[in-house]
Amino acid sequence: MERLRATCHPYEKHVGMSVDSSLGGLSRSSTVASLDTDSTKSSGHSAASETCAEFRVKYVGAIEKLPFEMSKTLQEPLELINYIDAAQQDGKLPFVPGEEEMVLGVSKYGVKVASMDQCDVLHRHPLYLIMRMLCYDDGLGAGKNLLALKTTDAKQQDCSIWVYQCSSAEQAQAICKVLSASFDCVLTSEKS
């Protein structure tokens, strides 16, 4: 796991993340970690430093401005994985990312992707627009994992799928865990 920095306010809360390695329809062996932002279930335990962190990733690509109705057909992790696989096979998404590494930061405000020197912000995904985040083995045999982020726009008229490559399964799962802790942090502070 390549964590660059972890600093946030003191916070301790249960983390909601499901990990499933037995998704029947997968044609490759993989571990899938998924965060469904509509879920109210929580399990596990998180410390203050796990509510925000930065990770080195590579950007694979995005499928933007899909009709919002499409997001309803991509509810389950396997459906989203199959959609990304089909997009790669159709040439809508590359199989491998570019060489440039980026910094993916996760906090209670959402996900920010910036250049390594952090001078250029490439993508911002506010927490309230993130519908699902999941990670899974890319299936290419190099031990790399993909991180898929499904977002919507503020008016919920369309949805987009953003795909990043992580260096390992541990890193991808750590990103999901930090995002889950961020959701829990915000939801807890709203109830107070």
Side-chain angles (χ1 to χ4, degrees), residues 34-158:
S34 175
L35 170 65
D36 181 357
T37 61
D38 293 332
S39 174
T40 56
K41 298 176 187 171
S42 291
S43 63
H45 196 73
S46 173
S49 66
E50 292 184 2
T51 59
C52 75
E54 292 180 341
F55 304 87
R56 291 177 186 223
V57 299
K58 292 181 178 180
Y59 178 59
V60 176
I63 305 168
E64 297 184 69
K65 301 197 183 288
L66 295 167
F68 188 73
E69 307 311 317
M70 180 71 118
S71 71
K72 294 175 183 168
T73 65
L74 301 173
Q75 291 292 330
E76 297 301 317
L78 186 56
E79 294 166 344
L80 191 55
I81 292 168
N82 286 339
Y83 189 83
I84 291 168
D85 283 348
Q88 288 176 317
Q89 292 169 11
D90 292 343
K92 295 177 185 173
L93 275 178
F95 283 98
V96 292
E99 288 301 311
E100 182 183 1
E101 281 193 326
M102 300 172 184
V103 176
L104 185 139
V106 182
S107 73
K108 68 179 184 175
Y109 303 106
V111 174
K112 177 177 84 172
V113 181
S115 59
M116 285 302 291
D117 60 8
Q118 298 202 17
C119 290
D120 297 317
V121 175
L122 307 165
H123 310 132
R124 272 189 205 277
H125 308 293
L127 198 63
Y128 75 99
L129 296 179
I130 297 172
M131 300 170 74
R132 178 178 289 278
M133 178 181 261
L134 70 92
C135 59
Y136 62 98
D137 183 341
D138 68 4
L140 300 177
K144 302 291 184 184
N145 277 250
L146 296 181
L147 180 73
L149 185 64
K150 184 173 76 168
T151 63
T152 187
D153 64 329
K155 296 179 181 177
Q156 292 193 342
Q157 293 177 338
D158 58 39

Side-chain angles (χ1 to χ4, degrees), residues 152-184:
T152 187
D153 64 329
K155 296 179 181 177
Q156 292 193 342
Q157 293 177 338
D158 58 39
C159 69
S160 298
I161 301 168
W162 307 82
V163 183
Y164 303 92
Q165 184 187 65
C166 301
S167 59
S168 66
E170 293 77 19
Q171 182 196 42
Q173 290 174 0
I175 294 170
C176 281
K177 184 177 179 182
V178 173
L179 186 65
S180 179
S182 296
F183 271 106
D184 284 352

